[in-house]
Coordinates of all heavy atoms in Angstrom, one line a residue:
M5 N -78.5 69.7 -54.4 CA -78.7 69.6 -52.9 C -79.0 71.1 -52.4 O -78.2 72.0 -52.8 CB -77.5 69.0 -52.3 CG -77.6 68.9 -50.8 SD -76.3 68.3 -49.8 CE -75.4 67.2 -50.9
S6 N -80.0 71.2 -51.6 CA -80.2 72.5 -51.1 C -79.7 72.6 -49.6 O -79.5 71.7 -48.9 CB -81.7 72.8 -51.1 OG -82.4 71.9 -50.2
D7 N -79.4 73.9 -49.3 CA -78.9 74.1 -47.9 C -80.1 74.6 -47.1 O -81.1 75.1 -47.6 CB -77.9 75.3 -47.9 CG -76.5 74.8 -48.4 OD1 -76.3 73.6 -48.3 OD2 -75.7 75.6 -48.8
A8 N -80.0 74.3 -45.8 CA -81.0 74.7 -44.9 C -80.4 75.3 -43.6 O -79.4 74.8 -43.2 CB -82.0 73.6 -44.5
N9 N -81.0 76.3 -43.1 CA -80.5 76.8 -41.8 C -81.4 76.3 -40.7 O -82.6 76.4 -40.8 CB -80.5 78.3 -41.8 CG -79.4 78.9 -42.7 OD1 -78.3 78.4 -42.7 ND2 -79.8 79.9 -43.4
V10 N -80.8 75.7 -39.7 CA -81.6 75.2 -38.6 C -81.1 75.8 -37.3 O -79.9 75.8 -37.0 CB -81.5 73.6 -38.5 CG1 -82.3 73.1 -37.3 CG2 -81.9 73.0 -39.8
R11 N -82.0 76.4 -36.5 CA -81.5 77.0 -35.3 C -81.7 76.1 -34.1 O -82.8 75.6 -33.8 CB -82.3 78.3 -35.1 CG -82.1 79.3 -36.2 CD -82.8 80.6 -36.0 NE -82.3 81.4 -34.9 CZ -81.2 82.2 -34.9 NH1 -80.4 82.1 -35.9 NH2 -80.8 82.9 -33.9
I12 N -80.6 75.7 -33.5 CA -80.6 74.8 -32.3 C -79.7 75.4 -31.3 O -78.8 76.2 -31.7 CB -80.2 73.3 -32.7 CG1 -78.8 73.3 -33.2 CG2 -81.2 72.7 -33.7 CD1 -78.3 71.8 -33.4
P13 N -79.8 75.0 -30.1 CA -78.9 75.5 -29.1 C -77.4 75.1 -29.4 O -77.2 74.1 -30.0 CB -79.3 74.7 -27.8 CG -80.7 74.4 -28.0 CD -80.9 74.1 -29.5
E14 N -76.5 76.0 -29.1 CA -75.1 75.8 -29.4 C -74.6 74.5 -28.8 O -73.8 73.8 -29.5 CB -74.3 77.0 -28.8 CG -72.8 77.0 -29.2 CD -72.6 77.4 -30.7 OE1 -73.5 78.1 -31.2 OE2 -71.6 77.0 -31.3
E15 N -75.1 74.1 -27.6 CA -74.6 72.9 -27.0 C -75.0 71.7 -27.9 O -74.3 70.7 -28.0 CB -75.2 72.7 -25.6 CG -74.8 73.8 -24.6 CD -75.6 75.1 -24.7 OE1 -76.8 75.0 -25.3 OE2 -75.1 76.1 -24.4
A16 N -76.2 71.7 -28.4 CA -76.7 70.6 -29.3 C -75.9 70.5 -30.5 O -75.5 69.4 -31.0 CB -78.2 70.8 -29.6
K17 N -75.6 71.7 -31.1 CA -74.8 71.7 -32.3 C -73.4 71.1 -32.1 O -72.8 70.3 -32.8 CB -74.6 73.1 -32.9 CG -73.8 73.1 -34.2 CD -73.5 74.6 -34.6 CE -72.2 75.1 -34.2 NZ -71.0 74.5 -34.2
D18 N -72.8 71.6 -31.0 CA -71.4 71.1 -30.6 C -71.5 69.6 -30.4 O -70.5 68.9 -30.8 CB -70.9 71.8 -29.4 CG -70.6 73.3 -29.6 OD1 -70.6 73.7 -30.8 OD2 -70.5 74.0 -28.6
R19 N -72.5 69.1 -29.7 CA -72.6 67.6 -29.4 C -72.7 66.9 -30.7 O -72.0 65.9 -30.9 CB -73.8 67.4 -28.5 CG -73.9 65.9 -28.2 CD -75.1 65.7 -27.2 NE -75.4 64.3 -27.0 CZ -74.7 63.4 -26.3 NH1 -73.6 63.8 -25.7 NH2 -75.1 62.2 -26.2
L20 N -73.6 67.3 -31.6 CA -73.7 66.6 -32.9 C -72.4 66.7 -33.7 O -72.1 65.7 -34.4 CB -74.9 67.3 -33.7 CG -76.3 67.0 -33.2 CD1 -77.3 67.9 -33.9 CD2 -76.6 65.5 -33.3
A21 N -71.8 67.8 -33.7 CA -70.5 68.0 -34.4 C -69.4 67.0 -33.9 O -68.7 66.4 -34.6 CB -70.0 69.4 -34.4
A22 N -69.4 66.8 -32.6 CA -68.5 65.9 -31.9 C -68.8 64.5 -32.3 O -67.9 63.7 -32.6 CB -68.5 66.1 -30.4
I23 N -70.0 64.1 -32.3 CA -70.5 62.8 -32.7 C -70.1 62.5 -34.2 O -69.5 61.5 -34.5 CB -72.0 62.6 -32.5 CG1 -72.3 62.6 -31.0 CG2 -72.4 61.2 -33.1 CD1 -73.8 62.7 -30.7
A24 N -70.4 63.5 -35.0 CA -70.0 63.4 -36.4 C -68.5 63.2 -36.6 O -68.1 62.3 -37.4 CB -70.5 64.6 -37.2
A25 N -67.7 64.0 -36.0 CA -66.3 64.0 -36.1 C -65.7 62.6 -35.6 O -64.9 62.0 -36.2 CB -65.6 65.1 -35.3
A26 N -66.3 62.1 -34.5 CA -65.9 60.8 -34.0 C -66.1 59.7 -35.1 O -65.5 58.6 -35.0 CB -66.6 60.5 -32.7
E27 N -67.1 59.9 -35.9 CA -67.4 58.9 -37.0 C -66.8 59.3 -38.3 O -67.1 58.6 -39.3 CB -68.9 58.8 -37.1 CG -69.6 58.2 -35.9 CD -71.1 57.9 -36.1 OE1 -71.5 57.7 -37.2 OE2 -71.8 57.9 -35.1
G28 N -65.9 60.3 -38.3 CA -65.2 60.7 -39.5 C -66.1 61.4 -40.5 O -65.8 61.4 -41.7
L29 N -67.1 62.0 -40.0 CA -68.1 62.7 -40.9 C -68.2 64.2 -40.6 O -67.9 64.6 -39.4 CB -69.5 62.1 -40.7 CG -69.7 60.7 -41.1 CD1 -71.1 60.2 -40.7 CD2 -69.5 60.4 -42.6
S30 N -68.5 65.0 -41.6 CA -68.8 66.4 -41.3 C -70.2 66.4 -40.7 O -71.0 65.4 -40.8 CB -68.9 67.1 -42.6 OG -70.0 66.7 -43.4
L31 N -70.5 67.5 -40.1 CA -71.9 67.6 -39.5 C -72.9 67.5 -40.5 O -74.0 66.8 -40.3 CB -72.0 69.0 -38.7 CG -73.3 69.3 -38.0 CD1 -73.7 68.1 -37.1 CD2 -73.3 70.6 -37.3
R32 N -72.7 68.1 -41.7 CA -73.7 68.0 -42.8 C -73.9 66.5 -43.2 O -75.0 66.1 -43.3 CB -73.2 68.8 -44.0 CG -74.1 68.6 -45.2 CD -73.5 69.3 -46.4 NE -73.3 70.7 -46.2 CZ -73.7 71.6 -47.0 NH1 -74.3 71.3 -48.1 NH2 -73.5 72.9 -46.8
A33 N -72.8 65.8 -43.4 CA -72.9 64.4 -43.8 C -73.6 63.5 -42.7 O -74.4 62.7 -43.0 CB -71.5 63.8 -44.1
Y34 N -73.3 63.8 -41.4 CA -73.9 63.1 -40.3 C -75.4 63.3 -40.3 O -76.2 62.4 -40.1 CB -73.2 63.5 -39.0 CG -73.8 62.8 -37.8 CD1 -73.5 61.5 -37.6 CD2 -74.7 63.4 -37.0 CE1 -74.1 60.8 -36.5 CE2 -75.3 62.8 -35.9 CZ -75.0 61.5 -35.7 OH -75.5 60.8 -34.6
L35 N -75.8 64.6 -40.4 CA -77.2 64.9 -40.4 C -78.0 64.3 -41.6 O -79.1 63.8 -41.4 CB -77.5 66.4 -40.3 CG -77.0 67.0 -39.0 CD1 -77.2 68.5 -39.1 CD2 -77.8 66.5 -37.8
A36 N -77.3 64.2 -42.7 CA -77.9 63.6 -43.9 C -78.1 62.1 -43.7 O -79.2 61.5 -44.0 CB -77.1 63.9 -45.2
R37 N -77.1 61.5 -43.1 CA -77.2 60.0 -42.8 C -78.2 59.8 -41.8 O -79.0 58.8 -41.9 CB -75.8 59.5 -42.4 CG -75.8 58.0 -42.2 CD -74.5 57.4 -41.7 NE -74.4 57.7 -40.3 CZ -73.3 57.5 -39.6 NH1 -72.3 56.9 -40.1 NH2 -73.3 57.7 -38.3
L38 N -78.3 60.6 -40.8 CA -79.3 60.5 -39.7 C -80.7 60.6 -40.3 O -81.6 59.7 -40.0 CB -79.1 61.5 -38.6 CG -80.0 61.5 -37.4 CD1 -79.7 60.2 -36.6 CD2 -79.7 62.7 -36.5
A39 N -80.9 61.5 -41.2 CA -82.2 61.7 -41.8 C -82.6 60.5 -42.6 O -83.8 60.1 -42.7 CB -82.2 62.9 -42.6
E40 N -81.6 59.8 -43.2 CA -81.9 58.6 -44.0 C -82.3 57.4 -43.2 O -83.0 56.5 -43.6 CB -80.7 58.3 -44.9 CG -80.4 59.3 -46.0 CD -79.1 59.0 -46.7 OE1 -78.4 58.1 -46.4 OE2 -78.8 59.8 -47.6
T41 N -81.8 57.4 -41.9 CA -82.0 56.2 -41.1 C -83.2 56.3 -40.2 O -83.6 55.2 -39.7 CB -80.7 55.9 -40.3 OG1 -80.4 57.0 -39.4 CG2 -79.5 55.6 -41.2
L42 N -83.6 57.5 -39.9 CA -84.8 57.6 -39.0 C -86.1 57.3 -39.7 O -86.2 57.7 -40.9 CB -84.8 59.0 -38.3 CG -83.6 59.3 -37.4 CD1 -83.7 60.8 -36.9 CD2 -83.6 58.4 -36.2
L43 N -87.0 56.8 -39.0 CA -88.3 56.5 -39.6 C -89.3 57.6 -39.2 O -89.3 58.1 -38.1 CB -88.9 55.2 -39.1 CG -88.0 53.9 -39.4 CD1 -88.7 52.7 -38.7 CD2 -87.9 53.7 -40.9
T44 N -90.2 57.9 -40.1 CA -91.3 58.8 -39.8 C -92.3 58.1 -39.0 O -92.3 56.8 -38.9 CB -92.0 59.3 -41.1 OG1 -92.6 58.2 -41.7 CG2 -91.0 60.0 -42.1
P45 N -93.2 58.8 -38.3 CA -94.3 58.1 -37.6 C -95.1 57.1 -38.4 O -95.4 56.0 -38.0 CB -95.1 59.2 -37.0 CG -94.2 60.4 -36.9 CD -93.2 60.2 -38.1
A46 N -95.4 57.5 -39.7 CA -96.1 56.7 -40.6 C -95.3 55.4 -40.9 O -95.9 54.3 -41.0 CB -96.5 57.4 -41.8
E47 N -94.0 55.6 -41.1 CA -93.2 54.4 -41.4 C -93.1 53.5 -40.2 O -93.1 52.2 -40.4 CB -91.8 54.8 -41.8 CG -91.7 55.5 -43.2 CD -90.4 56.2 -43.5 OE1 -89.7 56.6 -42.5 OE2 -90.1 56.4 -44.7
R48 N -93.0 54.0 -39.0 CA -93.0 53.2 -37.8 C -94.3 52.4 -37.6 O -94.3 51.2 -37.3 CB -92.7 54.0 -36.6 CG -91.2 54.4 -36.4 CD -90.9 55.0 -35.0 NE -91.7 56.1 -34.6 CZ -91.5 57.4 -34.9 NH1 -90.4 57.7 -35.6 NH2 -92.3 58.3 -34.5
A49 N -95.4 53.1 -37.9 CA -96.7 52.5 -37.8 C -96.8 51.3 -38.8 O -97.4 50.3 -38.5 CB -97.8 53.5 -38.0
E50 N -96.4 51.6 -40.0 CA -96.4 50.5 -41.0 C -95.6 49.3 -40.6 O -96.1 48.2 -40.8 CB -95.9 51.1 -42.4 CG -96.0 50.1 -43.5 CD -95.4 50.7 -44.8 OE1 -95.2 51.9 -44.9 OE2 -95.2 49.9 -45.7
R51 N -94.4 49.5 -40.1 CA -93.6 48.4 -39.7 C -94.2 47.7 -38.5 O -94.1 46.5 -38.4 CB -92.2 48.9 -39.3 CG -91.3 49.2 -40.5 CD -89.9 49.4 -40.1 NE -89.1 49.7 -41.3 CZ -87.8 49.8 -41.3 NH1 -87.1 49.7 -40.2 NH2 -87.2 50.2 -42.4
A52 N -94.8 48.4 -37.6 CA -95.4 47.8 -36.5 C -96.6 46.9 -36.9 O -96.8 45.8 -36.4 CB -95.9 48.8 -35.5
E53 N -97.4 47.4 -37.9 CA -98.5 46.6 -38.4 C -98.0 45.3 -39.1 O -98.5 44.3 -38.9 CB -99.3 47.4 -39.3 CG -100.6 46.7 -39.9 CD -101.4 46.1 -38.7 OE1 -101.6 46.8 -37.7 OE2 -101.9 45.0 -38.9
K54 N -96.9 45.5 -39.8 CA -96.3 44.3 -40.5 C -95.8 43.3 -39.4 O -96.0 42.1 -39.6 CB -95.2 44.7 -41.4 CG -95.6 45.3 -42.7 CD -94.5 45.7 -43.6 CE -94.9 46.4 -44.9 NZ -93.8 46.7 -45.7
A55 N -95.2 43.8 -38.4 CA -94.8 42.9 -37.3 C -95.9 42.2 -36.6 O -95.8 41.0 -36.3 CB -93.9 43.7 -36.3
R56 N -97.0 42.9 -36.4 CA -98.2 42.3 -35.8 C -98.8 41.2 -36.7 O -99.1 40.1 -36.2 CB -99.3 43.3 -35.5 CG -99.0 44.1 -34.2 CD -100.2 44.9 -33.8 NE -100.4 46.1 -34.7 CZ -99.8 47.3 -34.5 NH1 -98.9 47.5 -33.6 NH2 -100.0 48.2 -35.4
A57 N -98.8 41.5 -38.0 CA -99.3 40.5 -38.9 C -98.4 39.3 -39.0 O -98.9 38.1 -39.0 CB -99.4 41.1 -40.3
A58 N -97.1 39.5 -39.0 CA -96.2 38.3 -39.0 C -96.3 37.5 -37.7 O -96.3 36.3 -37.7 CB -94.8 38.8 -39.1
L59 N -96.5 38.2 -36.6 CA -96.6 37.5 -35.3 C -97.9 36.6 -35.3 O -97.9 35.5 -34.9 CB -96.7 38.5 -34.1 CG -96.9 38.0 -32.7 CD1 -95.7 37.1 -32.3 CD2 -97.2 39.1 -31.8
K60 N -99.0 37.2 -35.8 CA -100.2 36.4 -35.9 C -100.1 35.2 -36.9 O -100.5 34.1 -36.6 CB -101.4 37.3 -36.4 CG -102.7 36.6 -36.3 CD -103.8 37.5 -36.7 CE -105.1 36.7 -36.7 NZ -106.3 37.6 -37.1
E61 N -99.4 35.5 -38.0 CA -99.3 34.4 -39.0 C -98.4 33.3 -38.4 O -98.7 32.1 -38.6 CB -98.7 35.0 -40.3 CG -98.5 33.9 -41.4 CD -97.9 34.5 -42.6 OE1 -98.1 35.7 -42.9 OE2 -97.1 33.8 -43.3
W62 N -97.3 33.6 -37.8 CA -96.3 32.6 -37.3 C -96.8 31.9 -36.0 O -96.5 30.7 -35.9 CB -95.0 33.3 -37.0 CG -94.3 33.8 -38.2 CD1 -94.5 33.5 -39.5 CD2 -93.3 34.8 -38.2 NE1 -93.7 34.2 -40.3 CE2 -92.9 35.0 -39.5 CE3 -92.6 35.5 -37.2 CZ2 -91.9 35.9 -39.9 CZ3 -91.6 36.4 -37.6 CH2 -91.3 36.6 -38.9
T63 N -97.5 32.6 -35.1 CA -97.8 32.0 -33.8 C -99.3 32.0 -33.6 O -99.7 31.3 -32.6 CB -97.2 32.8 -32.7 OG1 -97.8 34.1 -32.6 CG2 -95.7 33.0 -32.9
G64 N -100.1 32.7 -34.3 CA -101.5 32.7 -34.0 C -101.9 33.8 -33.0 O -103.0 33.9 -32.6
Y65 N -100.9 34.4 -32.4 CA -101.1 35.4 -31.3 C -101.4 36.8 -31.9 O -100.6 37.3 -32.7 CB -99.9 35.4 -30.4 CG -99.9 36.4 -29.3 CD1 -100.9 36.3 -28.3 CD2 -99.0 37.5 -29.2 CE1 -101.0 37.2 -27.3 CE2 -99.1 38.4 -28.1 CZ -100.1 38.2 -27.2 OH -100.1 39.1 -26.2
A66 N -102.5 37.3 -31.5 CA -102.9 38.7 -31.9 C -103.3 39.5 -30.7 O -104.4 39.4 -30.3 CB -104.0 38.6 -32.9
P67 N -102.3 40.2 -30.1 CA -102.7 40.9 -28.8 C -103.7 42.0 -29.1 O -103.7 42.6 -30.1 CB -101.3 41.5 -28.4 CG -100.5 41.5 -29.6 CD -101.0 40.4 -30.5
T68 N -104.6 42.2 -28.1 CA -105.5 43.2 -28.1 C -104.8 44.6 -27.8 O -103.7 44.6 -27.4 CB -106.6 43.1 -27.1 OG1 -106.0 43.2 -25.8 CG2 -107.3 41.7 -27.2
A69 N -105.5 45.7 -28.1 CA -104.9 47.0 -27.8 C -104.5 47.1 -26.3 O -103.5 47.6 -26.0 CB -105.9 48.1 -28.2
A70 N -105.4 46.6 -25.5 CA -105.1 46.6 -24.0 C -103.9 45.8 -23.7 O -103.0 46.2 -22.9 CB -106.3 46.1 -23.2
E71 N -103.7 44.6 -24.3 CA -102.6 43.8 -24.0 C -101.3 44.5 -24.6 O -100.3 44.5 -23.9 CB -102.7 42.4 -24.7 CG -103.7 41.5 -24.1 CD -104.0 40.3 -24.9 OE1 -104.1 40.4 -26.1 OE2 -104.2 39.2 -24.3
E72 N -101.4 45.1 -25.7 CA -100.2 45.9 -26.2 C -99.8 47.0 -25.3 O -98.6 47.2 -25.0 CB -100.6 46.5 -27.6 CG -100.6 45.4 -28.7 CD -100.8 46.1 -30.1 OE1 -100.6 47.3 -30.2 OE2 -101.2 45.3 -31.0
Q73 N -100.8 47.7 -24.7 CA -100.5 48.8 -23.8 C -99.8 48.2 -22.5 O -98.9 48.8 -22.0 CB -101.7 49.6 -23.4 CG -102.3 50.4 -24.5 CD -103.6 51.1 -24.2 OE1 -104.2 50.8 -23.2 NE2 -103.9 52.1 -25.0
E74 N -100.3 47.1 -22.0 CA -99.7 46.5 -20.9 C -98.3 46.0 -21.2 O -97.4 46.2 -20.3 CB -100.6 45.3 -20.4 CG -100.0 44.7 -19.1 CD -99.8 45.6 -18.0 OE1 -100.6 46.6 -17.8 OE2 -98.8 45.4 -17.2
L75 N -98.1 45.5 -22.3 CA -96.7 45.0 -22.7 C -95.8 46.2 -22.9 O -94.6 46.2 -22.5 CB -96.8 44.2 -24.0 CG -97.5 42.8 -23.9 CD1 -97.7 42.3 -25.3 CD2 -96.6 41.9 -23.1
D76 N -96.3 47.3 -23.4 CA -95.5 48.5 -23.5 C -95.1 49.1 -22.2 O -94.0 49.5 -21.9 CB -96.3 49.6 -24.3 CG -96.3 49.4 -25.8 OD1 -95.5 48.5 -26.3 OD2 -97.1 50.0 -26.5
R77 N -96.1 49.1 -21.2 CA -95.8 49.5 -19.9 C -94.7 48.6 -19.2 O -93.8 49.1 -18.6 CB -97.0 49.6 -19.0 CG -97.9 50.8 -19.3 CD -99.0 50.9 -18.2 NE -100.0 49.8 -18.3 CZ -101.1 49.9 -19.1 NH1 -101.3 50.9 -19.8 NH2 -101.9 48.9 -19.1
E78 N -94.8 47.3 -19.4 CA -93.8 46.4 -18.8 C -92.5 46.6 -19.5 O -91.4 46.6 -18.8 CB -94.3 45.0 -19.1 CG -93.3 43.9 -18.5 CD -93.1 44.0 -17.0 OE1 -93.8 44.6 -16.3 OE2 -92.1 43.3 -16.6
L79 N -92.4 46.8 -20.8 CA -91.1 47.1 -21.4 C -90.5 48.4 -20.9 O -89.3 48.5 -20.6 CB -91.3 47.2 -22.9 CG -90.1 47.5 -23.8 CD1 -89.0 46.5 -23.5 CD2 -90.4 47.6 -25.2
D80 N -91.4 49.5 -20.8 CA -90.9 50.7 -20.2 C -90.3 50.6 -18.8 O -89.3 51.1 -18.5 CB -92.0 51.8 -20.2 CG -92.4 52.3 -21.6 OD1 -91.6 52.1 -22.6 OD2 -93.5 52.9 -21.7
R81 N -91.0 49.8 -18.0 CA -90.6 49.5 -16.6 C -89.2 48.8 -16.6 O -88.3 49.2 -15.9 CB -91.6 48.7 -15.9 CG -91.3 48.4 -14.4 CD -92.2 47.4 -13.8 NE -92.0 46.0 -14.3 CZ -91.0 45.3 -13.9 NH1 -90.0 45.7 -13.1 NH2 -90.9 44.0 -14.4
R82 N -89.1 47.8 -17.5 CA -87.8 47.1 -17.5 C -86.7 47.9 -18.0 O -85.5 47.8 -17.6 CB -88.0 45.8 -18.3 CG -88.8 44.8 -17.7 CD -88.9 43.5 -18.5 NE -89.9 42.6 -17.9 CZ -89.9 41.3 -18.1 NH1 -89.0 40.8 -19.0 NH2 -90.7 40.5 -17.6
L83 N -87.0 48.7 -19.0 CA -85.9 49.6 -19.6 C -85.5 50.7 -18.5 O -84.3 50.9 -18.4 CB -86.4 50.4 -20.8 CG -86.6 49.5 -22.1 CD1 -87.2 50.2 -23.2 CD2 -85.2 49.0 -22.5
A84 N -86.4 51.2 -17.8 CA -86.1 52.1 -16.7 C -85.3 51.4 -15.6 O -84.3 52.0 -15.1 CB -87.4 52.7 -16.1
Q85 N -85.6 50.2 -15.3 CA -84.9 49.5 -14.3 C -83.5 49.2 -14.8 O -82.5 49.4 -14.0 CB -85.6 48.2 -14.0 CG -85.1 47.3 -12.9 CD -85.8 46.0 -12.7 OE1 -86.4 45.5 -13.7 NE2 -85.9 45.6 -11.5
A86 N -83.3 48.8 -16.0 CA -82.0 48.6 -16.6 C -81.2 49.8 -16.6 O -79.9 49.8 -16.4 CB -82.1 47.9 -18.0
A87 N -81.8 51.0 -17.0 CA -81.1 52.2 -17.1 C -80.6 52.7 -15.7 O -79.6 53.4 -15.6 CB -81.9 53.3 -17.7
A88 N -81.3 52.3 -14.6 CA -81.0 52.7 -13.3 C -79.8 52.0 -12.7 O -79.2 52.4 -11.7 CB -82.2 52.6 -12.4
R89 N -79.4 50.9 -13.4 CA -78.2 50.1 -12.9 C -76.9 50.7 -13.2 O -76.6 51.4 -13.9 CB -78.3 48.7 -13.5 CG -79.4 47.9 -13.0 CD -79.4 46.6 -13.6 NE -80.7 45.9 -13.2 CZ -81.0 44.7 -13.6 NH1 -80.3 44.1 -14.4 NH2 -82.1 44.2 -13.2

């Protein structure tokens, strides 16, 4: 295992360390676990494509790019509304 130095604001480091400690992990272990669970943009795109293919296979529904954008806007609107509560 190699070590890496990452320069981040002290507040961010302290926050990450507190989150890690609350989960019973060292900051190093927490960051390693986080790296294993996050998806790269390519992995997210691949999963999205698989989901679209499954949706089409199961329901016959294949939204256009414009419909996807409109659905994304609606989801963003609803999430913002829920967060404001």
Side-chain angles (χ1 to χ4, degrees):
M5 180 182 335
S6 64
D7 283 338
N9 290 321
V10 179
R11 297 181 71 73
I12 61 173
E14 189 72 25
E15 299 82 22
K17 181 189 94 43
D18 292 345
R19 180 175 171 78
L20 288 169
I23 294 167
E27 295 188 25
L29 298 170
S30 68
L31 180 54
R32 176 189 297 235
Y34 179 76
L35 291 174
R37 187 181 75 183
L38 184 64
E40 291 171 2
T41 60
L42 295 176
L43 299 175
T44 66
E47 290 166 334
R48 282 194 305 274
E50 180 182 350
R51 285 195 181 184
E53 184 54 41
K54 286 181 180 179
R56 279 190 289 275
L59 178 65
K60 184 177 181 182
E61 181 180 330
W62 294 340
T63 67
Y65 178 61
T68 65
E71 289 171 321
E72 285 184 20
Q73 288 177 344
E74 180 57 33
L75 291 168
D76 285 344
R77 282 192 291 274
E78 178 63 13
L79 178 59
D80 289 342
R81 184 189 70 75
R82 290 182 184 199
L83 289 171
Q85 186 179 34
R89 291 182 186 174

